Amino acid sequence: MINTIILLSLCFRFGTTYPKEFARRCGHVHLTISASQDTNLELNWITDCTPPDNIRPDYIALYHYNLKDRSEETPPLVKIRASDHPSGYYKTKIKFGQPWLPGNWEYRDSLTRADQGPHCYPYWIASIKGNDIIDTRCLGIQPTWMNDNRMQIGTQKIGNLFIPGTHNSGAYVGVPKILENYILNQDRSIWTQLVHGIRYLDLRIGYYENDGFYVNHDLVRITKVVQIFKEIRKFVQLAPKEIIVVDFHRFPYPSNFNSTLHEKFVSLVYDYLGDLALPPGGLQVGKGPTLNEIWAQNKNVIICYADKAIARENYWLWQPLYQHWANTKNVDTLKSFLSRAIKEHRVTLNPMFALMAELTPQPIDLFFRTNNLRKLANDVNRKVTVWFRDEWARDVNIVATDYFLGNDIINVAIEANNNR
Ligand SMILES: *[C@@H]1O[C@H](CO)[C@@H](O)[C@H](O)[C@H]1NC(C)=O
């Protein structure tokens, strides 16, 4: 798979002046999951088939197995004529739901080992021309992609790595139905996000007198932080070379989240993650340490803290991480905002920066119940894949999205890092 990609990118680079190696892979395919409540599988293929590539697919199909591994074709789950869908996208009626994670990665307290490397769910997409298969790909997980690619990416600095992330990572469950569509930015647990390959978690913290610390979405409390810490801890235990950036990005409740609460929270974080935390020491300069340098220290959780003073007082906390947030529900506005942010992003005390690649409902949408988060994620996720794959693959650091299974950002990041 990787070999094919490298080979193709070499071919396409030859004879062209613009090294757009990701753009011209006519007929290449990937699967996504709709952000809608139905969680239906979506077929995606590249339609940029500039001549002389004459491999435009006739059919796109979905199977329970890899078509390339079979000599006899059994009936597909779905088969469509590519020309009927010129945008290169088709939403199937097949529900993905919340299946068990492959490779023995399903979370349980007693889990002590799981299978390294990528794994597939039993869903494979294929693009077909005549009797030829152009491309196949499964919907899969990448639980150990950093370690799997360590030879290629070890010398990259953390501030130069393409790191797939989620926005409001903890907002995936636990609020009343009526609020759900405006509060939840995700529909997978933190554990599932990490197992899929997400390596940046954006967490907002609230404190409640009798119940302790929660992950919040602004003023709405969502879930207790302790369970999230346990999942991060368990994941690092099973995948000890994966580097995870945990960003305590805001403290929205109570509005006066004072120093007593910060101290209390920091000590809770330390109890659960302190021994895994990579102290910034002298590392927060330039683009930060390389992955090899981080691995040499055997501490792979980078904890960023939104309060500068608290971060300074605790040797194991990193300085605030800057998030570029467009705060718009318009796709074109988001794109030009991100493009500008990539060119002009300012240097901060933290060597990393995050692009928030999602749309945001405006207050009037809550009032009229329009443009909820699921709809907005569906509006933009396919474009996010294309922008970061075809235009910005070389230039970005952290990219955080909503309903991340609706885009291909994890595979795009892995590929981009192998090509940097
Ligand atoms: C901070 O807030 C907490 C809870 O609201 C309160 O118990 C504590 O006394 C406050 N500390 C300071 C220093 O104001």
Side-chain angles (χ1 to χ4, degrees):
M1 167 82 182
I2 297 287
N3 283 338
T4 327
I5 290 161
I6 292 168
L7 208 72
L8 278 167
S9 63
L10 285 175
C11 295
F12 288 138
R13 206 183 287 213
F14 178 75
T16 120
T17 47
Y18 188 46
K20 231 178 147 190
E21 65 266 65
F22 297 115
R24 297 178 63 207
R25 293 210 312 255
C26 174
H28 275 233
V29 286
H30 69 272
L31 288 166
T32 50
I33 304 300
S34 168
S36 307
Q37 229 117 20
D38 57 37
T39 67
N40 284 358
L41 281 151
E42 304 168 311
L43 313 180
N44 303 271
W45 62 102
I46 295 182
T47 54
D48 178 6
C49 298
T50 332
D53 311 350
N54 197 17
I55 45 166
R56 198 181 282 275
D58 300 329
Y59 293 100
I60 308 294
L62 180 69
Y63 299 88
H64 271 316
Y65 57 90
N66 187 355
L67 195 56
K68 281 186 176 161
D69 296 343
R70 297 275 176 102
S71 46
E72 299 252 309
E73 184 187 343
T74 53
L77 301 165
V78 176
K79 188 168 187 174
I80 55 163
R81 199 183 291 276
S83 58
D84 290 345
H85 307 275
S87 65
Y89 167 78
Y90 178 78
K91 180 173 172 177
T92 72
K93 295 204 162 52
I94 296 173
K95 193 180 170 70
F96 180 66
Q98 303 268 351
W100 274 48
L101 296 162
N104 199 31
W105 283 95
E106 186 64 16
Y107 184 84
R108 53 198 181 275
D109 282 336
S110 61
L111 186 63
T112 54
R113 65 165 304 280
D115 303 332
Q116 307 291 295
H119 300 279
C120 292
Y121 292 102
Y123 292 110
W124 288 80
I125 179 175
S127 54
I128 300 156
K129 180 171 184 69
N131 288 323
D132 296 331
I133 302 165
I134 298 173
D135 187 32
T136 65
R137 179 125 72 97
C138 71
L139 182 72
I141 58 171
Q142 291 279 359
T144 53
W145 67 265
M146 289 181 163
N147 189 45
D148 302 341
N149 295 283
R150 64 190 176 281
M151 302 306 282
Q152 291 83 12
I153 67 177
T155 55
Q156 289 278 357
K157 293 184 167 173
I158 192 76
N160 269 336
L161 195 73
F162 189 152
I163 301 173
T166 46
H167 162 235
N168 259 328
S169 312
Y172 59 90
V173 76
V175 296
K177 264 272 177 289
I178 177 115
L179 291 176
E180 219 179 76
N181 287 350
Y182 290 92
I183 295 297
L184 299 187
N185 301 83
Q186 309 297 336
D187 62 356
R188 309 285 141 175
S189 68
I190 295 287
W191 171 263
T192 303
Q193 293 175 34
L194 293 171
V195 167
H196 270 266
I198 293 293
R199 294 292 175 267
Y200 168 77
L201 302 173
D202 164 36
L203 301 172
R204 325 289 172 94
I205 305 301
Y207 177 74
Y208 298 85
E209 203 63 48
N210 298 316
D211 303 317
F213 291 99
Y214 273 72
V215 165
N216 273 36
H217 183 146
D218 295 328
L219 300 181
V220 181
R221 66 162 137 171
I222 296 172
T223 181
K224 279 191 182 283
V225 289
V226 164
Q227 178 57 28
I228 287 177
F229 295 167
K230 283 185 183 162
E231 291 178 22
I232 295 172
R233 198 172 173 80
K234 171 75 83 183
F235 182 76
V236 172
Q237 195 187 339
L238 267 66
K241 289 277 185 272
E242 301 308 293
I243 297 161
I244 302 167
V245 181
V246 178
D247 184 9
F248 294 114
H249 198 76
R250 289 207 291 128
F251 300 89
Y253 189 86
S255 57
N256 60 333
F257 202 102
N258 62 28
S259 56
T260 317
L261 293 182
H262 276 297
E263 273 166 37
K264 204 169 156 166
F265 180 64
V266 164
S267 115
L268 181 71
V269 178
Y270 193 81
D271 285 348
Y272 281 90
L273 302 174
D275 59 327
L276 308 173
L278 175 75
L283 300 174
Q284 289 185 101
V285 290
K287 291 287 179 186
T290 65
L291 302 193
N292 285 333
E293 284 163 352
I294 297 174
W295 287 326
Q297 304 212 24
N298 249 331
K299 291 183 188 293
N300 294 346
V301 182
I302 296 180
I303 304 178
C304 306
Y305 207 84
D307 188 296
K308 269 195 186 118
I310 302 290
R312 217 176 293 118
E313 285 163 20
N314 293 277
Y315 74 98
W316 50 282
L317 295 176
W318 290 54
Q319 283 289 313
L321 192 146
Y322 192 80
Q323 291 185 341
H324 294 271
W325 179 49
N327 190 17
T328 178
K329 60 179 176 185
N330 179 289
V331 174
D332 296 327
T333 311
L334 175 66
K335 188 178 183 198
S336 51
F337 173 88
L338 292 174
S339 162
R340 209 165 44 240
I342 290 167
K343 287 193 197 92
E344 299 170 3
H345 89 89
R346 55 178 156 126
V347 175
T348 65
L349 291 173
N350 188 309
M352 296 174 284
F353 71 101
L355 299 173
M356 309 308 281
E358 62 274 331
L359 301 172
T360 314
Q362 302 302 309
I364 192 155
D365 292 315
L366 269 102
F367 187 78
F368 288 111
R369 312 283 303 167
T370 46
N371 288 311
N372 70 53
L373 290 164
R374 291 181 188 275
K375 177 193 178 287
L376 292 178
N378 282 332
D379 286 352
V380 80
N381 262 336
R382 283 190 291 292
K383 301 201 165 91
V384 164
T385 303
V386 175
W387 298 339
F388 288 94
R389 183 189 65 206
D390 298 347
E391 293 184 43
W392 302 329
R394 288 160 184 275
D395 313 311
V396 300
N397 183 206
I398 295 162
V399 177
T401 68
D402 280 355
Y403 292 94
F404 72 97
L405 291 180
N407 58 57
D408 196 28
I409 206 74
I410 293 167
N411 294 304
V412 166
I414 295 171
E415 246 177 71
N417 287 326
N418 279 316
N419 280 304
R420 274 189 183 182

